[in-house]
Amino acid sequence: MKQLARRRSLAALALCSPLILLIVCLKIYPTFYAVFLSMLDRKMNNFVGFDNFAFMISRPSFQLVIFQSVLFAVTAVILKAFLGFVLAHLMHNIRGRNERVWRGLLLVPWVIPLSLSTLTWWWLFDPSYSAFNWTLNMLGFEDIAFLGTVWNARLSVIAVNVWFGAPFFMIMYLAALKSVPEQLYEAASIDGATAVQRLFFITIPMMRNIILITVLYSLIVTFADFDIVRILTNGGPQDGTHLFATYAFVVGIQSGNIPRGATVSLFMFPILATLAFFVLRDVMKRNKEMA
Amino acid sequence: MSASATAGNLPVPKAKVGSMEKQRRMALWASYIALTFFVIIFLIPPFYMIITSLKTSAEISAQAGNPWIVQNPTFDNYWELMTNAAFQRYFINSVWVTAVTVTLSMTIAILAAFSLSRMGFKGSQVLSTGVFLTYLVPPSLLFIPLFQILGWLGLINSTWALVLLFPTLAVPFCTWIMIGYFSSIPKELDEAALIDGASYPQILIQIFIPVALPGIIAATIFAFTVAWGAFLYPLAYLYSADQATLTVGIVRELIKGDVFAWGMIMAACAMAAAPPIIIYTFLMDYYIAGLTAGATKG
Amino acid sequence: MANVSIRKVVKAYEGDVQAVKGIDLEIIDHEFVVLVGPSGCGKSTTLRMIAGLEEITAGEIWIGGDVVNDVPPRDRDIAMVFQNYALYPHMSVFDNMAFGLKLRKFPKEEIKRRVDEAATMLDIQMLLDRKPKALSGGQRQRVAMGRAVVRNPKVFLFDEPLSNLDAKLRVQMRTEIKKLHQLVPTTTVYVTHDQIEAMTLADRVVVMNHGVIEQVGAPQELYHHPATRFVAGFIGSPAMNFLPCQVIDDGGLKVQLADGTKMAIPAARVDRYGPYKGKKMTLGIRPEHMTETHDSEKPGVQIMNAKVDVVEPMGMETLVHHFVDGVAVCSRIDPNVQTGPGEILPLAIDMNNMHLIEDATNRVV
């Protein structure tokens, strides 16, 4: 029987081996290799320690990347979370009545591959053909250079990200709303709670976990975003909209400076690790509660 | 406090017949109006994508009249793309890369999830957590070292690079979904099967896979979405047009210099977005259930 | 069909927690044995070791003349019915019942014949095409039993099969299981926490507590001659009353309660209880042996006045709760006797059915 048990755990390990192989070779190893690369000089012959990090952080253009990445991720996530919360409530209000159709329509932004919908946004923002500007003109307003100035471009990039990501928040929050037992609301109503009080004393505390984990997860994904900026502005104007990922691409792949590119993307690591730590803590806690 | 003592002091509210009903109907209508507003905003880009795809280049560049409507709708852009060898190439590349990615990812994920949720070995708990952690490592953190690694393997500018790399994006989350579904199958079910005479492979194939089918559908859709829509890896590693997938092919190859053939680009986007939209139309419920299953448990 | 024999079997979990502490049990062919005890007593673990779902830490389990310690469940030729039925949700009732036979590569006609036969026996022929989701609890229970029956195994194992049913259905299914065993007398090991189920179904009942077997015996034997204080208290509902006492001899052997009440020990038992004079003992009396006084003429019957605390009419009987010497006591009386809270009710205590438990060993003497 002991032998049987050992054979069983060996078989179990064997079933996991493709997964382990994949993770070790293509996730863990590259992570350490990135650290190694970031410590080489341009020609990748000499070891230079943390020089690349020191150099990058001293450059105003890279400081701008840090600023823009934080601005982009934080603003976009807050807006997505808020919009998702509102949409989830609206969907919850009409529950049962053609809910699938409405949900389907609201999910369209999230279903189209992001690079393709961003391309459409670019066309909508086009300086000379913009359909938005045509509409603005019709209503008697001036043209807006959506991607022409740094701040306009930053807002446009955020807008596209919110458009793409809000449906995800809506789904998660809607699921959370549905999991709140109806009796809680009924009990609160009988206790004399108003709609606003029900929101603050029942809905939000009950959804707290999901709100938290969705926001953390979305922060990670948004920080690491590449497609929108790459296609919409390619970092411009005046490098004002670069994120870590797009900047690393320009430096590492396009200019061929692999060590500096690795350095740029590694700057994301501490931020992502912190966020991942909190996500993990929450997941572990929940696993324990479920066990 | 007795009821009779307070009844006199309290203003007795007039019973408004149906006021609750009315209030609810108002809320419902307000919700519909707000939702309609959001749906319109959300659908502007796809709508404009379709509208533009139906226009001729001449109509676009003329800039005469309302850009939101088509004056002379035509399917020429679609026909032209379908007969365009380059576009066919992108489509075929996307299809085969996605097909292999999905098959590979699901195989890896199902085997691992079965092992982790049912058989267990020393360190399987650590591995489950590790799988979840790697899911949180974004591709933009690793694409530069991977560029070097693909160089050694001679896979730069080969779609095989994507077949190798896309599973790293799909497998962790697919495994996570499958662990959740497998764990929700009662332990007695495999014990009953064991006593009925099933071996572990038989339990997996004849019991677990059919019972967890909704989870498998959800994970498959996820793997498909990741592989079909990926942009960074193909952009970074595939530089020649004949190796491009749809996303990169459209964004990089169809936009040539200043000659914007926007009608055709939008037609290409619409055609590339069609497969995921069709899949979601039919299987959205499974996907959402899979995505939110973990979230609503706690 | 086979004997099952359990020899010095131990089940220990990590951290030296022993769920089963070296038990011995011989189950003979065709016998229906029920393992009963409170939760955590090791009864389910024992069953699962027989099934091969739990490793045996030490000792041996034999089925039909073979040691099965290292035999996987599928080769033990057993069938098991689970508490939550464990029906395969994606298969029809027919496929659920046929699954084990298909895996064993039985010919199609044979599978069909056996399933039909079992379905007829269990009255589920019209359900064969349905999925488990479309069945009621009782029907699922039948299908789970059918799945076991078609295999025609050496041993049937039941793990609390009736716990998920409502009270009425439970009684009905209990009868069905008994009928099934009369029809197909396969050796059966049945686990339950419900002593009534144990009493009604078993040829022999095995009472377990804290990982050891307290007593093995026919239902009536356990009821009338419990071996330990645990068995005395566990079997029978409402439970036996326990009163601290001493055996004294003041011209005749008597038990004396803590408040000084003395009750004569019937002549037939004087020899048996004599050696325990002066020891701390517990007097055990079942509720039905503390009853209204109309047959108090019998020898060995003592009269005691009880101050009624709570009266519970049950229909065919009435339960009266009162205190003897500060200990809560329950009596079972004729429902026609009129009484109420606070009233004094004379009770006849039938000392011919008394039990005397030695406190030091917890054994019934």
Side-chain angles (χ1 to χ4, degrees), chain B residues 261-272:
Chain B
W262 276 104
M264 192 186 286
I265 294 172
M266 289 295 108
C269 284
M271 283 164 83

Side-chain angles (χ1 to χ4, degrees), chain C residues 149-170:
Chain C
V149 169
V150 290
R151 291 258 318 280
N152 191 18
K154 284 187 193 151
V155 185
F156 276 157
L157 305 173
F158 289 85
D159 190 6
E160 307 234 12
L162 304 182
S163 302
N164 281 7
L165 298 176
D166 63 55
K168 203 172 157 196
L169 210 50
R170 199 178 308 160

Side-chain angles (χ1 to χ4, degrees), chain C residues 14 38 41 46 55-56 92 105 126 144 159 173 180 182 184 189 201 216 222 230 234 252 260 275 315 319 323 335 347:
Chain C
E14 282 161 58
C41 70
T46 306
E55 227 175 280
I56 300 160
S92 67
K105 308 243 187 302
M126 61 295 173
D159 190 6
M173 288 308 297
L180 180 73
Q182 285 162 4
V184 190
V189 186
L201 285 170
V216 183
L222 291 191
F230 178 80
F234 190 78
L319 300 181
F323 290 92
L347 289 174

Side-chain angles (χ1 to χ4, degrees), chain B residues 105-155:
Chain B
S105 304
M106 288 311 294
T107 311
I108 296 175
I110 288 175
L111 290 181
F114 182 67
S115 161
L116 289 174
S117 65
R118 271 311 197 269
M119 302 172 76
F121 50 91
K122 235 185 199 168
S124 53
Q125 198 57 47
V126 179
L127 185 60
S128 314
T129 314
V131 167
F132 186 73
L133 259 188
T134 56
Y135 168 54
L136 298 178
V137 177
S140 49
L141 194 66
L142 298 180
F143 71 99
I144 287 175
L146 285 172
F147 186 79
Q148 292 294 105
I149 293 168
L150 291 176
W152 303 336
L153 299 172
L155 290 178

Side-chain angles (χ1 to χ4, degrees), chain C residues 82-156:
Chain C
F82 293 87
Q83 180 176 350
N84 61 6
Y85 323 128
L87 299 178
Y88 310 121
H90 59 295
M91 295 184 193
S92 67
V93 168
F94 181 92
D95 290 334
N96 260 285
M97 289 166 70
F99 188 62
L101 300 176
K102 278 181 187 160
L103 290 173
R104 288 182 169 76
K105 308 243 187 302
F106 275 66
K108 265 217 168 78
E109 309 79 58
E110 171 72 3
I111 294 178
K112 182 147 174 30
R113 193 185 61 74
R114 285 208 192 185
V115 172
D116 282 341
E117 193 183 288
T120 312
M121 191 155 58
L122 290 159
D123 201 22
I124 48 174
Q125 312 96 303
M126 61 295 173
L127 305 176
L128 286 177
D129 295 328
R130 296 221 197 138
K131 291 275 173 68
K133 234 193 323 205
L135 302 180
S136 69
Q139 290 170 332
R140 287 179 203 188
Q141 185 60 62
R142 281 165 204 265
V143 175
M145 275 156 56
R147 189 168 64 181
V149 169
V150 290
R151 291 258 318 280
N152 191 18
K154 284 187 193 151
V155 185
F156 276 157

Side-chain angles (χ1 to χ4, degrees), chain B residues 150-165:
Chain B
L150 291 176
W152 303 336
L153 299 172
L155 290 178
I156 292 292
N157 201 30
S158 158
T159 39
W160 284 101
L162 305 183
V163 171
L164 188 69
L165 292 182

